[in-house]
Amino acid sequence: MSAPTTEPTAPQSTRADVCAAAIADAFSVDGEIFASPMGLLPTLGVRLARLTSNPDLVISDGESLFLGGTPPLGGKDVVEGWIPFRRVFDVVAYGKRHVMMGATQVDRHGNQNISAIGSFAQPKRQLLGSRGAPGNTVNNRTSYWVPKHSPRVFVEQVDIVSGVGPARAKAAGPGAARFNDIHRIVSNLGVFDLGGAGDTVRLVSVHPGVSVDEVVAATGFTLELPAEVPQTREPSYEELLIIREMLDPKGLRFKEVPND
């Protein structure tokens, strides 16, 4: 009689690993769609999703090339297509796409700011500018990644609207609201969506080791809370191997989410 087989015990996951898995989950049900992650952890999460929950994701090198495989962060792979910058706008306007952007500020209505801090006429600090945020949010599914959750980022009202939340999109009319889809906000403390009353930010889960009170204290607006807040799932053994040995063996993820 053969001995029963058991699953190997997964090593303890870090906060960065949990964030990568949460980002992967945000892309898991998209099917065949162009994934446009902006930043290190979003890129790691998208590539994790492609190797696990959603192999149909179309990914690029973040510049101009569609990739045939799923390389590690900073690595190269077989090129299967070309998407120069001018073609990106065609995809934004007409294509199936899910973009994950950063957010210097995000408010309770899901509006995002990457333009400037202070008034538009005379800002205290100039940032990136709106860039593609307006087009992304009115044309494509959009998620946000926030590596340092604080009241300075999660604010009652953004100083300047770069990315458009659902309430503002609806007020602008069907042209802006038809494809507006703020899907997830993932931070180093938890996962959020726009499922609150009046299309406001709602807490979906807290990461392991984080309490709901910590998230509330780090948020500069009244956060909608479900009756029971689950814990964000930890990566599986397979996912941890993929993260640590295939996609990010150099540990670049810890630059955004330190392993304290």
Side-chain angles (χ1 to χ4, degrees), residues 100-119:
M100 177 170 273
M101 307 173 65
T104 304
Q105 292 178 326
V106 60
D107 65 28
R108 69 186 295 262
H109 290 283
N111 301 302
Q112 170 243 35
N113 176 21
I114 53 171
S115 296
I117 301 299
S119 69

Side-chain angles (χ1 to χ4, degrees), residues 10-256:
Q12 185 175 2
S13 57
T14 65
R15 182 73 58 82
D17 298 328
V18 171
C19 291
I23 292 169
D25 286 349
F27 288 82
S28 64
V29 298
D30 286 339
E32 188 176 0
I33 197 170
F34 179 29
S36 295
M38 300 181 184
L40 194 148
L41 252 296
T43 298
L44 177 59
V46 161
R47 294 184 182 185
L48 178 63
R50 196 189 198 203
L51 290 173
T52 55
S53 58
N54 189 358
D56 293 327
L57 281 176
V58 177
I59 66 171
S60 77
D61 65 349
E63 296 181 7
S64 62
L65 303 174
F66 286 126
L67 301 180
T70 310
L73 296 177
K76 299 185 181 297
D77 201 80
V78 175
V79 174
E80 65 174 12
W82 183 50
I83 182 166
F85 191 65
R86 65 181 180 273
R87 290 285 304 278
V88 172
F89 292 101
D90 295 334
V91 177
V92 170
Y94 304 107
K96 295 170 60 179
R97 180 171 176 257
H98 183 174
V99 56
M100 177 170 273
M101 307 173 65
T104 304
Q105 292 178 326
V106 60
D107 65 28
R108 69 186 295 262
H109 290 283
N111 301 302
Q112 170 243 35
N113 176 21
I114 53 171
S115 296
I117 301 299
S119 69
F120 183 80
Q122 192 171 7
K124 298 176 182 177
R125 183 176 299 173
Q126 181 66 48
L127 304 173
L128 292 172
S130 290
R131 299 176 69 88
N136 290 337
T137 51
V138 301
N139 288 301
N140 304 135
R141 170 169 279 189
T142 303
S143 295
Y144 297 122
W145 159 243
V146 177
K148 294 182 180 180
H149 191 128
S150 79
R152 296 178 63 182
V153 179
F154 286 80
V155 296
E156 179 65 32
Q157 182 175 327
V158 296
D159 292 344
I160 297 169
V161 176
S162 305
V164 182
R168 184 175 288 266
K170 290 173 183 176
R178 183 180 178 188
F179 298 112
N180 178 262
D181 178 11
I182 308 303
H183 182 57
R184 288 288 185 275
I185 303 168
V186 180
S187 81
N188 63 317
L189 299 184
V191 179
F192 310 81
D193 67 11
L194 272 291
D199 299 317
T200 54
V201 175
R202 175 180 65 176
L203 180 59
V204 173
S205 66
V206 293
H207 297 334
V210 177
S211 70
V212 173
D213 288 343
E214 286 179 80
V215 175
V216 170
T219 303
F221 54 79
T222 301
L223 185 64
E224 178 130 343
L225 303 174
E228 294 186 10
V229 180
Q231 180 176 280
T232 309
R233 74 171 185 89
E234 297 194 54
S236 67
Y237 180 81
E238 176 192 17
E239 288 173 314
L240 284 175
L241 287 181
I242 291 171
I243 291 170
R244 297 176 181 185
E245 298 185 13
M246 296 176 62
L247 294 177
D248 188 24
K250 295 180 180 179
L252 299 177
R253 61 195 180 280
F254 300 124
K255 292 182 178 181
E256 285 195 351

